[in-house]
Amino acid sequence: MQFRTRAIHVGQEPDPVSGAIVPPIHVASTFVQPDASMTTAYDYARTGSPTRHGLESTLAALEGGARALGFASGMAATHCVTQLLSVGDHIVTGTDIYGGTWRLFNRVLPDHGITVTAVDTSDSSAVARAVTPATKLVWIESPGNPLLSITDIAACAQMAHAAGALLACDTTLATPVLTRPLEFGADIVMHSATKFIGGHSDLLGGALVTRDAELGKRLHWLQNATGGVMGPFESFLCSRGLKTLELRVLAQSATALRLAEWLAGHPAVVKVHYPGLVSHPGHALAMRQMAAGGTIVSFEVRGSVAEARRVVESTRLFQLAVSLGAVESLIEIPAVMSHGSYAPEARRAVGIADGLIRLSVGLEAFEDLRDDLASALPRS
Ligand SMILES: Cc1ncc(COP(=O)(O)O)c(C=O)c1O
């Protein structure tokens, strides 16, 4: 089955009892057992529930994985992966990563005896230099957030595996429509389902997908032991979101490319970061690893940080809000919003300028979004 057919049918079989074409939302927290020592497929909803399980089956089919797990948020999913590690273990990660992931890796894990080295993972040789005998996890984000850097997933998988480490890849920004990291050798894919999988700014969720069933089992054990699971209503909304994922991501990517091209030609714009542009340093790799450039564009305007703030506060269709990946277009300043949890020196050192503006391009018409930006940008 093609991707969009799997998105509609796998894990979403009609209800065998009523014939309902949409499987019911199972809200039960517990499941009646035939006898004290035997359960049905389910016993307690933290361990597993039919609605979450339906979503997990679809996600595994879309990523080409053996097992998928639904979490309460993207951060709960990321945290679960880090629980595979023990005191003394080391993580190699990127510098162009979501601010919350940066906070977990730099402010939480070191207190638990885990060390972290952040390098520009779009430079594979920097990853190779950072790996040590203690490295147990290489964590990459591609495209990176908010600079849209592209990391070579296959090269990182080889380096991680040669060192006896796992490669986990946050492809929230790409979605399985554009990149499927397991096909490039990654062990774990992570998504903030809050973004494209939900797609409508109305839920919080996360997901992990593993290539290997044993690793999936281990992560499921940790998830059940620690409890950050996705609830039934969110699972239903994610399953519904997945049915239109391909259409949304391809349409939003096409609009994002046109906006990036338009911004690159605007006199008030000094820099545009978009992997779909030939000028992007990761363009060639993006074209090998991604089906399109994605729906996120970041750019810098000429002038001061105050000028950038004026732009984000002047748009009408682009709503001033963190998050991304929904049908509504959003605009923000990562330095003070999505990446506000970075230490300012660390943020500037990795190239996230104080005045960088990030767009999440939604499903609105290109012309309306372009006109909205045109009226907010300085006219010089
Ligand atoms: C790329 C990326 N990864 C992870 C996360 C964390 O996900 P959540 O907010 O669902 O916990 C986000 C949230 O913005 C994100 O953009």
Side-chain angles (χ1 to χ4, degrees), residues 103-142:
R103 179 172 51 198
L104 172 68
F105 286 179
N106 290 279
R107 298 223 170 124
V108 179
L109 298 184
D111 288 346
H112 297 271
I114 292 165
T115 54
V116 180
T117 303
V119 294
D120 174 5
T121 54
S122 69
D123 173 4
S124 298
S125 65
V127 177
R129 285 194 299 277
V131 170
T132 73
T135 307
K136 291 289 174 314
L137 177 67
V138 177
W139 180 280
I140 60 176
E141 196 174 306
S142 189

PDB file of all heavy atoms in Angstrom, residues 103-142:
ATOM      1  N   ARG A 103      17.364  21.878  26.747  1.00  0.00           N
ATOM      2  CA  ARG A 103      17.215  22.003  28.210  1.00  0.00           C
ATOM      3  C   ARG A 103      17.310  20.642  28.896  1.00  0.00           C
ATOM      4  O   ARG A 103      18.005  20.484  29.903  1.00  0.00           O
ATOM      5  CB  ARG A 103      15.862  22.673  28.506  1.00  0.00           C
ATOM      6  CG  ARG A 103      15.552  22.838  29.986  1.00  0.00           C
ATOM      7  CD  ARG A 103      14.311  23.664  30.177  1.00  0.00           C
ATOM      8  NE  ARG A 103      13.194  23.152  29.379  1.00  0.00           N
ATOM      9  CZ  ARG A 103      12.108  23.840  29.069  1.00  0.00           C
ATOM     10  NH1 ARG A 103      11.971  25.089  29.471  1.00  0.00           N
ATOM     11  NH2 ARG A 103      11.135  23.308  28.357  1.00  0.00           N
ATOM     12  N   LEU A 104      16.622  19.635  28.345  1.00  0.00           N
ATOM     13  CA  LEU A 104      16.676  18.285  28.929  1.00  0.00           C
ATOM     14  C   LEU A 104      18.124  17.775  28.927  1.00  0.00           C
ATOM     15  O   LEU A 104      18.617  17.256  29.943  1.00  0.00           O
ATOM     16  CB  LEU A 104      15.777  17.332  28.129  1.00  0.00           C
ATOM     17  CG  LEU A 104      15.865  15.849  28.498  1.00  0.00           C
ATOM     18  CD1 LEU A 104      15.299  15.596  29.894  1.00  0.00           C
ATOM     19  CD2 LEU A 104      15.105  14.991  27.481  1.00  0.00           C
ATOM     20  N   PHE A 105      18.805  17.920  27.782  1.00  0.00           N
ATOM     21  CA  PHE A 105      20.149  17.370  27.652  1.00  0.00           C
ATOM     22  C   PHE A 105      21.175  18.128  28.499  1.00  0.00           C
ATOM     23  O   PHE A 105      22.093  17.527  29.037  1.00  0.00           O
ATOM     24  CB  PHE A 105      20.607  17.404  26.177  1.00  0.00           C
ATOM     25  CG  PHE A 105      19.939  16.360  25.302  1.00  0.00           C
ATOM     26  CD1 PHE A 105      20.233  16.271  23.949  1.00  0.00           C
ATOM     27  CD2 PHE A 105      19.020  15.455  25.820  1.00  0.00           C
ATOM     28  CE1 PHE A 105      19.635  15.315  23.138  1.00  0.00           C
ATOM     29  CE2 PHE A 105      18.417  14.495  25.029  1.00  0.00           C
ATOM     30  CZ  PHE A 105      18.718  14.424  23.680  1.00  0.00           C
ATOM     31  N   ASN A 106      21.009  19.447  28.581  1.00  0.00           N
ATOM     32  CA  ASN A 106      22.041  20.257  29.246  1.00  0.00           C
ATOM     33  C   ASN A 106      21.738  20.616  30.688  1.00  0.00           C
ATOM     34  O   ASN A 106      22.637  20.936  31.446  1.00  0.00           O
ATOM     35  CB  ASN A 106      22.298  21.544  28.457  1.00  0.00           C
ATOM     36  CG  ASN A 106      22.996  21.246  27.159  1.00  0.00           C
ATOM     37  OD1 ASN A 106      24.205  21.067  27.127  1.00  0.00           O
ATOM     38  ND2 ASN A 106      22.230  21.139  26.089  1.00  0.00           N
ATOM     39  N   ARG A 107      20.463  20.581  31.053  1.00  0.00           N
ATOM     40  CA  ARG A 107      20.131  21.021  32.419  1.00  0.00           C
ATOM     41  C   ARG A 107      19.573  19.916  33.294  1.00  0.00           C
ATOM     42  O   ARG A 107      19.495  20.073  34.497  1.00  0.00           O
ATOM     43  CB  ARG A 107      19.115  22.162  32.354  1.00  0.00           C
ATOM     44  CG  ARG A 107      19.643  23.375  31.628  1.00  0.00           C
ATOM     45  CD  ARG A 107      19.267  24.631  32.382  1.00  0.00           C
ATOM     46  NE  ARG A 107      19.935  25.781  31.845  1.00  0.00           N
ATOM     47  CZ  ARG A 107      19.312  26.865  31.412  1.00  0.00           C
ATOM     48  NH1 ARG A 107      17.996  26.921  31.433  1.00  0.00           N
ATOM     49  NH2 ARG A 107      20.003  27.893  30.984  1.00  0.00           N
ATOM     50  N   VAL A 108      19.120  18.823  32.695  1.00  0.00           N
ATOM     51  CA  VAL A 108      18.537  17.741  33.497  1.00  0.00           C
ATOM     52  C   VAL A 108      19.476  16.532  33.537  1.00  0.00           C
ATOM     53  O   VAL A 108      19.853  16.054  34.600  1.00  0.00           O
ATOM     54  CB  VAL A 108      17.144  17.323  32.942  1.00  0.00           C
ATOM     55  CG1 VAL A 108      16.564  16.177  33.756  1.00  0.00           C
ATOM     56  CG2 VAL A 108      16.185  18.517  32.952  1.00  0.00           C
ATOM     57  N   LEU A 109      19.879  16.041  32.363  1.00  0.00           N
ATOM     58  CA  LEU A 109      20.656  14.794  32.317  1.00  0.00           C
ATOM     59  C   LEU A 109      21.995  14.862  33.044  1.00  0.00           C
ATOM     60  O   LEU A 109      22.382  13.872  33.696  1.00  0.00           O
ATOM     61  CB  LEU A 109      20.842  14.339  30.867  1.00  0.00           C
ATOM     62  CG  LEU A 109      19.549  14.018  30.103  1.00  0.00           C
ATOM     63  CD1 LEU A 109      19.865  13.487  28.713  1.00  0.00           C
ATOM     64  CD2 LEU A 109      18.685  13.006  30.861  1.00  0.00           C
ATOM     65  N   PRO A 110      22.740  15.996  32.979  1.00  0.00           N
ATOM     66  CA  PRO A 110      24.026  16.024  33.686  1.00  0.00           C
ATOM     67  C   PRO A 110      23.868  15.748  35.186  1.00  0.00           C
ATOM     68  O   PRO A 110      24.729  15.119  35.801  1.00  0.00           O
ATOM     69  CB  PRO A 110      24.557  17.439  33.427  1.00  0.00           C
ATOM     70  CG  PRO A 110      23.929  17.807  32.111  1.00  0.00           C
ATOM     71  CD  PRO A 110      22.554  17.199  32.161  1.00  0.00           C
ATOM     72  N   ASP A 111      22.734  16.140  35.781  1.00  0.00           N
ATOM     73  CA  ASP A 111      22.503  15.867  37.207  1.00  0.00           C
ATOM     74  C   ASP A 111      22.298  14.375  37.464  1.00  0.00           C
ATOM     75  O   ASP A 111      22.274  13.924  38.609  1.00  0.00           O
ATOM     76  CB  ASP A 111      21.255  16.608  37.712  1.00  0.00           C
ATOM     77  CG  ASP A 111      21.510  18.099  37.815  1.00  0.00           C
ATOM     78  OD1 ASP A 111      22.693  18.493  37.754  1.00  0.00           O
ATOM     79  OD2 ASP A 111      20.530  18.862  37.935  1.00  0.00           O
ATOM     80  N   HIS A 112      22.094  13.611  36.404  1.00  0.00           N
ATOM     81  CA  HIS A 112      21.895  12.168  36.547  1.00  0.00           C
ATOM     82  C   HIS A 112      23.104  11.392  36.031  1.00  0.00           C
ATOM     83  O   HIS A 112      22.999  10.209  35.689  1.00  0.00           O
ATOM     84  CB  HIS A 112      20.612  11.743  35.822  1.00  0.00           C
ATOM     85  CG  HIS A 112      19.399  12.385  36.419  1.00  0.00           C
ATOM     86  ND1 HIS A 112      18.686  11.828  37.448  1.00  0.00           N
ATOM     87  CD2 HIS A 112      18.825  13.593  36.177  1.00  0.00           C
ATOM     88  CE1 HIS A 112      17.707  12.642  37.792  1.00  0.00           C
ATOM     89  NE2 HIS A 112      17.769  13.724  37.045  1.00  0.00           N
ATOM     90  N   GLY A 113      24.233  12.101  35.906  1.00  0.00           N
ATOM     91  CA  GLY A 113      25.492  11.438  35.562  1.00  0.00           C
ATOM     92  C   GLY A 113      25.667  11.137  34.087  1.00  0.00           C
ATOM     93  O   GLY A 113      26.519  10.330  33.707  1.00  0.00           O
ATOM     94  N   ILE A 114      24.872  11.802  33.243  1.00  0.00           N
ATOM     95  CA  ILE A 114      25.011  11.587  31.792  1.00  0.00           C
ATOM     96  C   ILE A 114      25.648  12.839  31.194  1.00  0.00           C
ATOM     97  O   ILE A 114      25.206  13.962  31.470  1.00  0.00           O
ATOM     98  CB  ILE A 114      23.638  11.302  31.157  1.00  0.00           C
ATOM     99  CG1 ILE A 114      23.134   9.941  31.666  1.00  0.00           C
ATOM    100  CG2 ILE A 114      23.709  11.316  29.636  1.00  0.00           C
ATOM    101  CD1 ILE A 114      21.689   9.690  31.434  1.00  0.00           C
ATOM    102  N   THR A 115      26.692  12.646  30.395  1.00  0.00           N
ATOM    103  CA  THR A 115      27.358  13.808  29.799  1.00  0.00           C
ATOM    104  C   THR A 115      26.884  13.963  28.352  1.00  0.00           C
ATOM    105  O   THR A 115      26.506  12.990  27.691  1.00  0.00           O
ATOM    106  CB  THR A 115      28.889  13.666  29.849  1.00  0.00           C
ATOM    107  OG1 THR A 115      29.245  12.422  29.239  1.00  0.00           O
ATOM    108  CG2 THR A 115      29.408  13.716  31.272  1.00  0.00           C
ATOM    109  N   VAL A 116      26.923  15.214  27.901  1.00  0.00           N
ATOM    110  CA  VAL A 116      26.394  15.537  26.569  1.00  0.00           C
ATOM    111  C   VAL A 116      27.395  16.421  25.835  1.00  0.00           C
ATOM    112  O   VAL A 116      27.912  17.381  26.411  1.00  0.00           O
ATOM    113  CB  VAL A 116      25.042  16.293  26.698  1.00  0.00           C
ATOM    114  CG1 VAL A 116      24.488  16.630  25.319  1.00  0.00           C
ATOM    115  CG2 VAL A 116      24.034  15.482  27.495  1.00  0.00           C
ATOM    116  N   THR A 117      27.673  16.090  24.583  1.00  0.00           N
ATOM    117  CA  THR A 117      28.486  16.961  23.737  1.00  0.00           C
ATOM    118  C   THR A 117      27.633  17.400  22.563  1.00  0.00           C
ATOM    119  O   THR A 117      27.065  16.551  21.859  1.00  0.00           O
ATOM    120  CB  THR A 117      29.740  16.214  23.202  1.00  0.00           C
ATOM    121  OG1 THR A 117      30.477  15.725  24.311  1.00  0.00           O
ATOM    122  CG2 THR A 117      30.621  17.135  22.374  1.00  0.00           C
ATOM    123  N   ALA A 118      27.514  18.715  22.375  1.00  0.00           N
ATOM    124  CA  ALA A 118      26.718  19.243  21.262  1.00  0.00           C
ATOM    125  C   ALA A 118      27.650  19.734  20.164  1.00  0.00           C
ATOM    126  O   ALA A 118      28.548  20.529  20.427  1.00  0.00           O
ATOM    127  CB  ALA A 118      25.825  20.376  21.750  1.00  0.00           C
ATOM    128  N   VAL A 119      27.436  19.233  18.965  1.00  0.00           N
ATOM    129  CA  VAL A 119      28.240  19.676  17.814  1.00  0.00           C
ATOM    130  C   VAL A 119      27.299  19.976  16.648  1.00  0.00           C
ATOM    131  O   VAL A 119      26.125  19.608  16.690  1.00  0.00           O
ATOM    132  CB  VAL A 119      29.262  18.585  17.370  1.00  0.00           C
ATOM    133  CG1 VAL A 119      30.313  18.351  18.436  1.00  0.00           C
ATOM    134  CG2 VAL A 119      28.563  17.281  16.996  1.00  0.00           C
ATOM    135  N   ASP A 120      27.843  20.620  15.637  1.00  0.00           N
ATOM    136  CA  ASP A 120      27.068  20.879  14.429  1.00  0.00           C
ATOM    137  C   ASP A 120      26.963  19.549  13.672  1.00  0.00           C
ATOM    138  O   ASP A 120      27.891  19.148  12.969  1.00  0.00           O
ATOM    139  CB  ASP A 120      27.787  21.945  13.595  1.00  0.00           C
ATOM    140  CG  ASP A 120      27.124  22.164  12.250  1.00  0.00           C
ATOM    141  OD1 ASP A 120      26.057  21.557  12.001  1.00  0.00           O
ATOM    142  OD2 ASP A 120      27.676  22.931  11.445  1.00  0.00           O
ATOM    143  N   THR A 121      25.837  18.859  13.823  1.00  0.00           N
ATOM    144  CA  THR A 121      25.732  17.513  13.237  1.00  0.00           C
ATOM    145  C   THR A 121      25.589  17.551  11.717  1.00  0.00           C
ATOM    146  O   THR A 121      25.660  16.499  11.066  1.00  0.00           O
ATOM    147  CB  THR A 121      24.558  16.717  13.853  1.00  0.00           C
ATOM    148  OG1 THR A 121      23.361  17.495  13.717  1.00  0.00           O
ATOM    149  CG2 THR A 121      24.802  16.382  15.304  1.00  0.00           C
ATOM    150  N   SER A 122      25.390  18.756  11.138  1.00  0.00           N
ATOM    151  CA  SER A 122      25.375  18.816   9.671  1.00  0.00           C
ATOM    152  C   SER A 122      26.789  18.613   9.125  1.00  0.00           C
ATOM    153  O   SER A 122      26.985  18.411   7.933  1.00  0.00           O
ATOM    154  CB  SER A 122      24.762  20.129   9.173  1.00  0.00           C
ATOM    155  OG  SER A 122      25.607  21.210   9.476  1.00  0.00           O
ATOM    156  N   ASP A 123      27.782  18.671  10.027  1.00  0.00           N
ATOM    157  CA  ASP A 123      29.172  18.371   9.678  1.00  0.00           C
ATOM    158  C   ASP A 123      29.474  16.971  10.246  1.00  0.00           C
ATOM    159  O   ASP A 123      29.741  16.820  11.438  1.00  0.00           O
ATOM    160  CB  ASP A 123      30.073  19.451  10.300  1.00  0.00           C
ATOM    161  CG  ASP A 123      31.554  19.151  10.154  1.00  0.00           C
ATOM    162  OD1 ASP A 123      31.897  18.134   9.505  1.00  0.00           O
ATOM    163  OD2 ASP A 123      32.354  19.933  10.703  1.00  0.00           O
ATOM    164  N   SER A 124      29.426  15.954   9.379  1.00  0.00           N
ATOM    165  CA  SER A 124      29.580  14.574   9.866  1.00  0.00           C
ATOM    166  C   SER A 124      30.912  14.367  10.568  1.00  0.00           C
ATOM    167  O   SER A 124      31.006  13.564  11.511  1.00  0.00           O
ATOM    168  CB  SER A 124      29.454  13.573   8.706  1.00  0.00           C
ATOM    169  OG  SER A 124      28.185  13.675   8.142  1.00  0.00           O
ATOM    170  N   SER A 125      31.957  15.091  10.135  1.00  0.00           N
ATOM    171  CA  SER A 125      33.267  14.893  10.768  1.00  0.00           C
ATOM    172  C   SER A 125      33.237  15.404  12.219  1.00  0.00           C
ATOM    173  O   SER A 125      33.939  14.867  13.079  1.00  0.00           O
ATOM    174  CB  SER A 125      34.386  15.572   9.966  1.00  0.00           C
ATOM    175  OG  SER A 125      34.194  16.962   9.988  1.00  0.00           O
ATOM    176  N   ALA A 126      32.404  16.400  12.504  1.00  0.00           N
ATOM    177  CA  ALA A 126      32.289  16.899  13.885  1.00  0.00           C
ATOM    178  C   ALA A 126      31.631  15.828  14.764  1.00  0.00           C
ATOM    179  O   ALA A 126      32.001  15.656  15.931  1.00  0.00           O
ATOM    180  CB  ALA A 126      31.480  18.186  13.917  1.00  0.00           C
ATOM    181  N   VAL A 127      30.684  15.086  14.184  1.00  0.00           N
ATOM    182  CA  VAL A 127      30.044  14.001  14.939  1.00  0.00           C
ATOM    183  C   VAL A 127      31.094  12.917  15.227  1.00  0.00           C
ATOM    184  O   VAL A 127      31.212  12.433  16.362  1.00  0.00           O
ATOM    185  CB  VAL A 127      28.845  13.409  14.153  1.00  0.00           C
ATOM    186  CG1 VAL A 127      28.220  12.244  14.897  1.00  0.00           C
ATOM    187  CG2 VAL A 127      27.813  14.493  13.861  1.00  0.00           C
ATOM    188  N   ALA A 128      31.879  12.582  14.200  1.00  0.00           N
ATOM    189  CA  ALA A 128      32.903  11.530  14.367  1.00  0.00           C
ATOM    190  C   ALA A 128      33.879  11.918  15.474  1.00  0.00           C
ATOM    191  O   ALA A 128      34.251  11.072  16.306  1.00  0.00           O
ATOM    192  CB  ALA A 128      33.652  11.325  13.053  1.00  0.00           C
ATOM    193  N   ARG A 129      34.271  13.196  15.533  1.00  0.00           N
ATOM    194  CA  ARG A 129      35.233  13.644  16.555  1.00  0.00           C
ATOM    195  C   ARG A 129      34.624  13.626  17.953  1.00  0.00           C
ATOM    196  O   ARG A 129      35.324  13.472  18.944  1.00  0.00           O
ATOM    197  CB  ARG A 129      35.736  15.062  16.226  1.00  0.00           C
ATOM    198  CG  ARG A 129      36.737  15.107  15.073  1.00  0.00           C
ATOM    199  CD  ARG A 129      37.449  16.460  15.023  1.00  0.00           C
ATOM    200  NE  ARG A 129      36.528  17.574  14.808  1.00  0.00           N
ATOM    201  CZ  ARG A 129      36.077  17.960  13.613  1.00  0.00           C
ATOM    202  NH1 ARG A 129      36.451  17.322  12.523  1.00  0.00           N
ATOM    203  NH2 ARG A 129      35.252  18.994  13.503  1.00  0.00           N
ATOM    204  N   ALA A 130      33.303  13.813  18.037  1.00  0.00           N
ATOM    205  CA  ALA A 130      32.659  13.919  19.359  1.00  0.00           C
ATOM    206  C   ALA A 130      32.369  12.563  19.996  1.00  0.00           C
ATOM    207  O   ALA A 130      32.193  12.462  21.210  1.00  0.00           O
ATOM    208  CB  ALA A 130      31.366  14.721  19.226  1.00  0.00           C
ATOM    209  N   VAL A 131      32.308  11.517  19.164  1.00  0.00           N
ATOM    210  CA  VAL A 131      31.971  10.172  19.691  1.00  0.00           C
ATOM    211  C   VAL A 131      33.138   9.641  20.528  1.00  0.00           C
ATOM    212  O   VAL A 131      34.301   9.746  20.134  1.00  0.00           O
ATOM    213  CB  VAL A 131      31.648   9.205  18.522  1.00  0.00           C
ATOM    214  CG1 VAL A 131      31.549   7.770  19.011  1.00  0.00           C
ATOM    215  CG2 VAL A 131      30.346   9.619  17.837  1.00  0.00           C
ATOM    216  N   THR A 132      32.836   9.115  21.716  1.00  0.00           N
ATOM    217  CA  THR A 132      33.864   8.543  22.602  1.00  0.00           C
ATOM    218  C   THR A 132      33.446   7.104  22.943  1.00  0.00           C
ATOM    219  O   THR A 132      32.303   6.705  22.653  1.00  0.00           O
ATOM    220  CB  THR A 132      33.974   9.328  23.930  1.00  0.00           C
ATOM    221  OG1 THR A 132      32.816   9.015  24.727  1.00  0.00           O
ATOM    222  CG2 THR A 132      34.055  10.835  23.715  1.00  0.00           C
ATOM    223  N   PRO A 133      34.325   6.349  23.606  1.00  0.00           N
ATOM    224  CA  PRO A 133      33.918   4.986  23.992  1.00  0.00           C
ATOM    225  C   PRO A 133      32.694   4.992  24.922  1.00  0.00           C
ATOM    226  O   PRO A 133      31.985   3.977  25.019  1.00  0.00           O
ATOM    227  CB  PRO A 133      35.157   4.447  24.712  1.00  0.00           C
ATOM    228  CG  PRO A 133      36.302   5.253  24.170  1.00  0.00           C
ATOM    229  CD  PRO A 133      35.747   6.617  23.877  1.00  0.00           C
ATOM    230  N   ALA A 134      32.423   6.131  25.591  1.00  0.00           N
ATOM    231  CA  ALA A 134      31.259   6.178  26.499  1.00  0.00           C
ATOM    232  C   ALA A 134      29.967   6.549  25.776  1.00  0.00           C
ATOM    233  O   ALA A 134      28.888   6.534  26.381  1.00  0.00           O
ATOM    234  CB  ALA A 134      31.532   7.193  27.618  1.00  0.00           C
ATOM    235  N   THR A 135      30.070   6.891  24.485  1.00  0.00           N
ATOM    236  CA  THR A 135      28.868   7.338  23.761  1.00  0.00           C
ATOM    237  C   THR A 135      27.894   6.179  23.572  1.00  0.00           C
ATOM    238  O   THR A 135      28.227   5.160  22.979  1.00  0.00           O
ATOM    239  CB  THR A 135      29.251   7.936  22.376  1.00  0.00           C
ATOM    240  OG1 THR A 135      30.237   8.949  22.583  1.00  0.00           O
ATOM    241  CG2 THR A 135      28.041   8.525  21.688  1.00  0.00           C
ATOM    242  N   LYS A 136      26.676   6.384  24.058  1.00  0.00           N
ATOM    243  CA  LYS A 136      25.660   5.337  23.923  1.00  0.00           C
ATOM    244  C   LYS A 136      24.503   5.804  23.029  1.00  0.00           C
ATOM    245  O   LYS A 136      23.688   4.989  22.602  1.00  0.00           O
ATOM    246  CB  LYS A 136      25.085   4.956  25.306  1.00  0.00           C
ATOM    247  CG  LYS A 136      26.099   4.226  26.174  1.00  0.00           C
ATOM    248  CD  LYS A 136      26.337   2.815  25.634  1.00  0.00           C
ATOM    249  CE  LYS A 136      27.423   2.038  26.331  1.00  0.00           C
ATOM    250  NZ  LYS A 136      28.660   2.667  26.604  1.00  0.00           N
ATOM    251  N   LEU A 137      24.428   7.132  22.818  1.00  0.00           N
ATOM    252  CA  LEU A 137      23.324   7.663  22.020  1.00  0.00           C
ATOM    253  C   LEU A 137      23.818   8.837  21.187  1.00  0.00           C
ATOM    254  O   LEU A 137      24.479   9.739  21.701  1.00  0.00           O
ATOM    255  CB  LEU A 137      22.194   8.141  22.954  1.00  0.00           C
ATOM    256  CG  LEU A 137      20.982   8.801  22.309  1.00  0.00           C
ATOM    257  CD1 LEU A 137      20.183   7.795  21.466  1.00  0.00           C
ATOM    258  CD2 LEU A 137      20.058   9.414  23.382  1.00  0.00           C
ATOM    259  N   VAL A 138      23.505   8.792  19.893  1.00  0.00           N
ATOM    260  CA  VAL A 138      23.693   9.971  19.038  1.00  0.00           C
ATOM    261  C   VAL A 138      22.280  10.452  18.727  1.00  0.00           C
ATOM    262  O   VAL A 138      21.450   9.688  18.219  1.00  0.00           O
ATOM    263  CB  VAL A 138      24.480   9.629  17.749  1.00  0.00           C
ATOM    264  CG1 VAL A 138      24.587  10.857  16.850  1.00  0.00           C
ATOM    265  CG2 VAL A 138      25.868   9.090  18.097  1.00  0.00           C
ATOM    266  N   TRP A 139      22.016  11.707  19.092  1.00  0.00           N
ATOM    267  CA  TRP A 139      20.666  12.270  18.931  1.00  0.00           C
ATOM    268  C   TRP A 139      20.745  13.401  17.925  1.00  0.00           C
ATOM    269  O   TRP A 139      21.409  14.404  18.159  1.00  0.00           O
ATOM    270  CB  TRP A 139      20.157  12.816  20.273  1.00  0.00           C
ATOM    271  CG  TRP A 139      18.783  13.398  20.157  1.00  0.00           C
ATOM    272  CD1 TRP A 139      18.454  14.638  19.687  1.00  0.00           C
ATOM    273  CD2 TRP A 139      17.539  12.763  20.475  1.00  0.00           C
ATOM    274  NE1 TRP A 139      17.093  14.811  19.682  1.00  0.00           N
ATOM    275  CE2 TRP A 139      16.509  13.675  20.166  1.00  0.00           C
ATOM    276  CE3 TRP A 139      17.210  11.506  20.986  1.00  0.00           C
ATOM    277  CZ2 TRP A 139      15.165  13.371  20.361  1.00  0.00           C
ATOM    278  CZ3 TRP A 139      15.870  11.212  21.186  1.00  0.00           C
ATOM    279  CH2 TRP A 139      14.859  12.133  20.877  1.00  0.00           C
ATOM    280  N   ILE A 140      20.069  13.226  16.795  1.00  0.00           N
ATOM    281  CA  ILE A 140      20.111  14.278  15.784  1.00  0.00           C
ATOM    282  C   ILE A 140      18.705  14.779  15.491  1.00  0.00           C
ATOM    283  O   ILE A 140      17.710  14.089  15.760  1.00  0.00           O
ATOM    284  CB  ILE A 140      20.791  13.801  14.473  1.00  0.00           C
ATOM    285  CG1 ILE A 140      20.032  12.607  13.857  1.00  0.00           C
ATOM    286  CG2 ILE A 140      22.261  13.450  14.721  1.00  0.00           C
ATOM    287  CD1 ILE A 140      20.584  12.153  12.509  1.00  0.00           C
ATOM    288  N   GLU A 141      18.655  15.994  14.965  1.00  0.00           N
ATOM    289  CA  GLU A 141      17.375  16.570  14.550  1.00  0.00           C
ATOM    290  C   GLU A 141      17.578  17.033  13.106  1.00  0.00           C
ATOM    291  O   GLU A 141      18.493  17.818  12.842  1.00  0.00           O
ATOM    292  CB  GLU A 141      17.059  17.752  15.474  1.00  0.00           C
ATOM    293  CG  GLU A 141      15.626  18.202  15.431  1.00  0.00           C
ATOM    294  CD  GLU A 141      15.329  19.285  16.476  1.00  0.00           C
ATOM    295  OE1 GLU A 141      15.604  19.081  17.676  1.00  0.00           O
ATOM    296  OE2 GLU A 141      14.832  20.347  16.074  1.00  0.00           O
ATOM    297  N   SER A 142      16.793  16.526  12.185  1.00  0.00           N
ATOM    298  CA  SER A 142      16.963  16.931  10.785  1.00  0.00           C
ATOM    299  C   SER A 142      15.603  17.009  10.106  1.00  0.00           C
ATOM    300  O   SER A 142      14.873  16.010  10.108  1.00  0.00           O
ATOM    301  CB  SER A 142      17.864  15.937  10.044  1.00  0.00           C
ATOM    302  OG  SER A 142      18.192  16.428   8.756  1.00  0.00           O
TER     303      SER A 142
END
